[in-house]
Amino acid sequence: MWTHKSWPQAPQERLRAYAGWCDAVEGNTTFYATPARDTVATWAAQTGPEFRFVMKLPRLITHERRLADVDEALRAFLYAMEPLGPRLHALWIQLPGSFGPADVPVLDRFLSRLPAAYPYAVEVRHPAFFADSRATERLEGVLAAADAEWIPFDTTAFFASPPTSDAERDAWTKKPRLPLRTRALTDRPIVRYLGRDDGARTVEGWRRWVDVVAGWLGEGRSPTVFIHTPDNADAPALARRFHAEVRARVPGLGPLPEPEPVGPATLF
């Protein structure tokens, strides 16, 4: 995300400021509605050509119509995303928890009809995809055939102990509780990690991902990692810390942008 009520910038300046801290962002806003193409053009104008957007398909496509009879809605969405150009790192297909192994043929048909010009990444939340090896293999086969990535949403650190804040209690009832997955299918893996509002516990929980991401980089992959906490107040600073820990293991990894100082010592 690039906007949060606790961040000090005016809403129209938040993406530009965010791009001074991090070089990738989750486009969750598109889940609720396809934005105007002109709006997307302003997002491109606020970011450099190397910035990565991972844009979520609208819920009309993924949740309401469950990938069926969506040609018109998909065309409208892809048309709106065009101004991002090379910044569009992946189209994010987040599926509801009720979308299970029996629905994989629907996903297969949907992926096979998508334009080859875009990279795709799929997030599933049905427990069977993680617990049933046959379901796992079948989904991996469908994704591999489409050169699509499987996005893991790691909430294991979050659910390791009961919540201690209002934001954590709210997330406790909403976030999926699924087993850890660290396998990449493509050369552009994407990870979503949810820590705690306690920064030290967030850092402790991501240690395994430092190892995994360093390994991916050593294999020549180009991973994108998103760091979340229940209140997200310090998420950009935590993301920079994660990057620094990986960079200490992989010295050839380039630095993140240097944010411009504004107001207090840190923006977030």
Side-chain angles (χ1 to χ4, degrees):
M1 59 191 300
W2 67 75
T3 185
H4 190 274
K5 62 183 178 181
S6 70
W7 299 350
Q9 293 78 24
Q12 64 272 19
E13 294 297 324
R14 284 178 179 160
L15 177 55
R16 191 184 306 278
Y18 176 95
W21 279 70
C22 300
D23 58 5
V25 74
E26 290 183 353
N28 190 58
T29 183
T30 54
F31 179 67
Y32 302 100
T34 294
R37 185 181 169 101
D38 289 348
T39 297
V40 178
T42 68
W43 300 345
Q46 293 182 65
T47 56
E50 301 302 318
F51 191 84
R52 297 179 179 184
F53 286 86
V54 177
M55 305 304 291
K56 190 186 290 190
L57 263 63
R59 60 184 172 186
L60 172 66
I61 295 173
T62 57
H63 287 56
E64 296 174 19
R65 297 186 180 173
R66 298 172 67 89
L67 309 183
D69 190 25
V70 296
D71 288 356
E72 184 177 346
L74 182 62
R75 279 195 298 270
F77 179 75
L78 294 178
Y79 175 75
M81 294 298 107
E82 283 181 357
L84 293 180
R87 299 168 183 82
L88 186 54
H89 182 66
L91 291 174
W92 171 17
I93 305 165
Q94 185 187 78
L95 297 170
S98 60
F99 196 100
D103 300 301
V104 169
V106 177
L107 175 62
D108 190 12
R109 288 192 294 272
F110 178 74
L111 291 173
S112 68
R113 298 174 62 189
L114 292 174
Y118 301 98
Y120 301 95
V122 176
E123 180 184 341
V124 293
R125 295 187 170 187
H126 194 290
F129 289 123
F130 302 84
D132 183 336
S133 60
R134 291 174 300 178
T136 302
E137 291 173 5
R138 190 177 185 192
L139 177 59
E140 285 184 342
V142 165
L143 296 176
D147 193 29
E149 189 54 80
W150 180 334
I151 301 179
F153 185 20
D154 179 12
T155 60
T156 56
F158 175 70
F159 284 112
S161 61
T164 59
S165 68
D166 288 343
E168 289 185 351
R169 281 185 283 272
D170 182 61
W172 196 266
T173 65
K174 296 177 179 178
K175 301 302 181 183
R177 191 180 305 211
L178 297 168
L180 179 68
R181 175 183 167 84
T182 60
R183 173 176 162 82
L185 300 180
T186 72
D187 62 358
R188 52 186 189 282
I190 298 170
V191 175
R192 307 182 66 230
Y193 168 78
L194 177 65
R196 301 292 294 251
D197 287 338
D198 180 341
R201 295 182 65 187
T202 296
V203 171
E204 181 61 29
W206 76 35
R207 296 299 182 195
R208 64 169 64 90
W209 285 113
V210 173
D211 295 336
V212 170
V213 171
W216 284 340
L217 288 165
E219 295 167 356
R221 302 181 197 260
S222 181
T224 305
V225 180
F226 295 113
I227 303 298
H228 293 268
T229 65
D231 67 13
N232 273 322
D234 298 320
L238 286 165
R240 292 180 66 85
R241 178 168 177 177
F242 179 86
H243 184 275
E245 290 192 12
V246 174
R247 195 174 181 216
R249 297 275 300 276
V250 186
L253 179 63
L256 289 173
E258 282 302 319
E260 296 181 8
V262 176
T266 60
L267 283 174
F268 302 99

